[in-house]
Amino acid sequence: MNRILLASAFLLVSISAVFADGIPSAAPAVASPVPAAISPAPKAPAPKLVEPHLHIARSNLAGHARIALTFDACMGQADERILSTLVRERIPATIFVTARWLKRNPAALAVFLQNPDLFELENHGENHIPAVDTPTLIYGIASAGSPQAVRQEVEGGAAAMVAAGIPAPHWFRGSTAKYDLSAIGEIRAMGYRIAGYSVNGDGGSLLGAVITEKRIASAKDGDVVISHINQPTHAAGEGVAKALVDLKAKGTEFVRLEDVEDTGDDKTTE
């Protein structure tokens, strides 16, 4: 009996060994190929931007400087400190309005329209988008980004002005007052003169009252001053109003852009 059991055990072990030899071993793990590092797409070069200057014809009279006051009405509310001073002192000015500002300020618009001898209203665009036809950021504001978008910004602003009862505009000033040269050509081809400036009066309405007053009051014969009339809570507006009175007391002649010859660089008025 023991011999039989031993023989059976030997037979089972032999059969198991045969089957084990026939089972293929697991294939060795194949290392996944490491992908080559992907280089980032080359960054498009930033567009070359210009901030054009504008001067008007001088009076060339001692003690009788001639300057053009221009105000941007970008969005927000009208600054009554400035508006009331312009009306009370009978000081002419050119006001650049956006479609957005017009919607929110019907009372100020009525004052402008009631005083056509003082106020020239011109185009500041539809949505206050920089008139640059390639994508970029200017002071954190996204540019129009294409020729079509530049055209929409200009045409949309003009359409809103006409709808509000304002005569069709002839001047354009884009948000940030910066442009690329191709956009300047496109806007000029639409029949507009582009309004630069020679004195930055209020630093985008971010300066204090004292420095704003000094900047504007320092304007010389032939200067074009840019300031803002849409930030009634900023200190700069107080300085603007004070500077207007200072200039008038000095015998300054105030003119609108439509009333005098001008010269702009970067082919903005040629």
Side-chain angles (χ1 to χ4, degrees):
M1 179 64 69
N2 289 338
R3 289 180 179 177
I4 294 173
L5 291 173
L6 288 173
S8 299
F10 178 78
L11 179 61
L12 289 172
V13 169
S14 298
I15 293 172
S16 298
V18 170
F19 277 96
D21 288 341
I23 299 174
S25 60
V30 178
S32 300
V34 178
I38 300 175
S39 301
K43 195 172 182 179
K48 179 183 177 182
L49 303 181
V50 296
E51 192 166 357
H53 293 93
L54 180 67
H55 289 87
I56 58 170
R58 299 177 180 178
S59 73
N60 291 320
L61 299 174
H64 187 79
R66 175 188 293 152
I67 70 169
L69 296 171
T70 68
F71 293 94
D72 287 359
C74 313
M75 54 197 82
Q77 300 296 326
D79 191 332
E80 289 295 334
R81 296 168 299 180
I82 300 172
L83 181 54
S84 62
T85 300
L86 291 169
V87 174
R88 182 182 67 250
E89 300 294 334
R90 307 310 293 171
I91 295 175
T94 302
I95 315 294
F96 287 86
V97 297
T98 66
R100 295 173 64 178
W101 187 88
L102 288 173
K103 289 178 182 178
R104 298 188 61 179
N105 293 275
L109 173 60
V111 174
F112 290 147
L113 294 177
Q114 289 163 8
N115 292 274
D117 58 322
L118 294 182
F119 300 115
E120 171 191 359
L121 300 179
E122 297 292 353
N123 190 356
H124 196 33
E126 181 177 23
N127 290 308
H128 201 246
I129 296 173
V132 174
D133 60 15
T134 54
T136 191
L137 290 176
I138 308 170
Y139 304 134
I141 305 174
S143 66
S146 70
Q148 295 78 12
V150 168
R151 175 173 288 274
Q152 177 58 45
E153 175 70 1
V154 177
E155 291 183 342
M161 293 178 69
V162 172
I166 303 169
H170 303 288
W171 285 87
F172 177 80
R173 176 182 285 157
S175 167
T176 75
K178 291 181 182 288
Y179 315 82
D180 53 354
L181 295 178
S182 54
I184 286 176
E186 293 154 12
I187 297 166
R188 293 286 289 126
M190 297 171 66
Y192 285 89
R193 302 171 79 78
I194 297 175
Y197 61 90
S198 58
V199 175
N200 186 337
D202 63 1
S205 191
L206 299 177
L207 298 178
V210 173
I211 188 170
T212 296
E213 178 187 350
K214 289 181 178 178
R215 281 195 180 193
I216 298 176
S218 70
K220 297 178 174 59
D221 195 15
D223 272 334
V224 175
V225 180
I226 182 176
S227 298
H228 291 75
I229 196 168
N230 66 301
Q231 295 290 356
T233 64
H234 290 193
E238 178 185 342
V240 172
K242 181 67 166 60
L244 299 180
V245 177
D246 295 343
L247 286 168
K248 183 178 179 181
K250 291 164 55 176
T252 301
E253 177 191 0
F254 300 100
V255 296
R256 303 170 300 184
L257 293 182
E258 66 181 352
D259 297 330
V260 67
E261 294 182 357
D262 54 76
T263 304
D265 56 15
D266 297 308
K267 299 183 178 180
T268 51
T269 63
E270 291 180 2

